[in-house]
Amino acid sequence: MAPAELEFLAEDTPIRISPFFESGPLRLLVGMCGPFRTGTPIEVPVWLAVTFAKRKKCNVEPPDWMTVEVLEAIREWEQHPDHAHELSPDLPFHYFELASLLLTLPTSEKGCLVFRANDNPNHVRTLVDELQMIRLAKLAKTGLRILHRMPTMRLLGVCAMELNVLRPQILHTRDAFNVLDPPSEMDTQDSSLQTPDESTYEPPQRKIRRTVL
C-alpha cells in the first residue's frame, strides 16, 4: 500500500477544531458533522479540519498523544531493555500519517495547529521520526526471531506504516525459508484439518508456514 493510501485512511480520524465561522450541519458520507459555532470546539474528520485550516476557517488542536511530554515518555518506554520485543500501545494506528498531515499546517497564524505553550512543533516532528526508526528496528529483529519459532505471527501494537513496511520483508523471508525447508504435503494436510491444543502444543522447528496478523 502506498503512503498516500495510508494517509487517505488516516484522514477519517476525528480531531478537535475551533471554527471561526457559523454554519449548520454538513452532510458527509460518514454522517452529519456540525453545527459550527465560532469559538466552540467540535470534532471533525482530519481531512475536513485540514481543509478548513488551509482556508483560515479554524484552528486545529493536536491529539493528546502529539505532545513533547507524551512522545518522550513513549520513546523512553520503547528504548527500555525490558521492552526490547514489545511495542508501545499508546500510539494510534495511524500515528505517523496523522503527524505528517497535521505538521504541514502553520503554527503561528490564523488557521493553524495550536500546540501547548511548551511544545515545539519541530521537536514533535523529531520525536515522531525517532519513534518510527526505533520501532521499525525492533520490528525487523522481532519479526525474524518469531519466524524461527512459531507457525503464526501476531504483532501487538504495530501501526499502519510499520505494518506496511514490515509485510513485504516478512513475506520475502518466509518464502526464503520455504525454499530452504519446504513443508511436506502430509504436514500441509494435517495443519489444515487440525487445530492444536494451545496448552500442550509445541511448535515444530522450522515449520515455515507463516501468517502475519
Side-chain angles (χ1 to χ4, degrees):
M1 188 175 291
E5 294 176 287
L6 292 178
E7 283 195 358
F8 177 79
L9 297 175
E11 286 177 341
D12 280 334
T13 305
I15 195 169
R16 188 174 294 272
I17 66 170
S18 294
F20 302 142
F21 64 95
E22 304 277 335
S23 173
L26 299 178
R27 186 181 299 276
L28 307 177
L29 290 176
V30 295
M32 302 299 292
C33 185
F36 300 89
R37 298 290 180 262
T38 300
T40 302
I42 184 174
E43 282 194 346
V44 300
V46 165
W47 66 266
L48 187 59
V50 172
T51 300
F52 282 159
K54 289 182 176 179
R55 295 179 181 179
K56 312 297 183 184
K57 291 183 176 290
C58 75
N59 283 340
V60 181
E61 299 179 16
D64 292 339
W65 60 268
M66 201 169 158
T67 66
V68 170
E69 180 182 1
V70 172
L71 292 174
E72 285 183 339
I74 295 175
R75 181 184 61 180
E76 182 178 351
W77 190 96
E78 295 280 6
Q79 292 177 322
H80 197 283
D82 291 346
H83 305 138
H85 303 297
E86 299 177 76
L87 296 176
S88 171
D90 295 330
L91 288 172
F93 187 59
H94 288 290
Y95 83 93
F96 189 79
E97 295 82 7
L98 291 172
S100 298
L101 286 165
L102 296 175
L103 289 171
T104 62
L105 298 175
T107 57
S108 59
E109 59 186 68
K110 187 176 181 180
C112 68
L113 186 63
V114 183
F115 281 99
R116 298 176 183 174
N118 295 329
D119 284 339
N120 184 298
N122 291 328
H123 194 181
V124 170
R125 188 189 305 273
T126 299
L127 288 169
V128 170
D129 289 340
E130 288 180 0
L131 281 171
Q132 178 197 27
M133 291 186 291
I134 292 169
R135 288 165 64 92
L136 284 176
K138 290 169 67 174
L139 278 170
K141 295 178 181 178
T142 303
L144 187 59
R145 180 177 63 87
I146 294 176
L147 275 172
H148 282 286
R149 298 185 179 181
M150 298 175 62
T152 60
M153 182 175 179
R154 185 174 186 181
L155 299 175
L156 301 178
V158 183
C159 298
M161 174 275 303
E162 299 156 354
L163 189 59
N164 200 46
V165 172
L166 182 68
R167 184 186 292 110
Q169 298 176 3
I170 292 295
L171 295 178
H172 177 75
T173 303
R174 180 202 61 184
D175 292 342
F177 283 145
N178 276 335
V179 171
L180 295 172
D181 186 11
S184 67
E185 182 178 351
M186 182 65 70
D187 288 339
T188 303
Q189 293 175 352
D190 290 344
S191 65
S192 64
L193 297 176
Q194 300 178 6
T195 301
D197 183 356
E198 292 184 0
S199 62
T200 59
Y201 175 64
E202 294 184 3
Q205 294 297 317
R206 303 220 18 141
K207 294 299 183 183
I208 314 299
R209 299 184 298 281
R210 314 297 183 190
T211 302
V212 179
L213 301 180

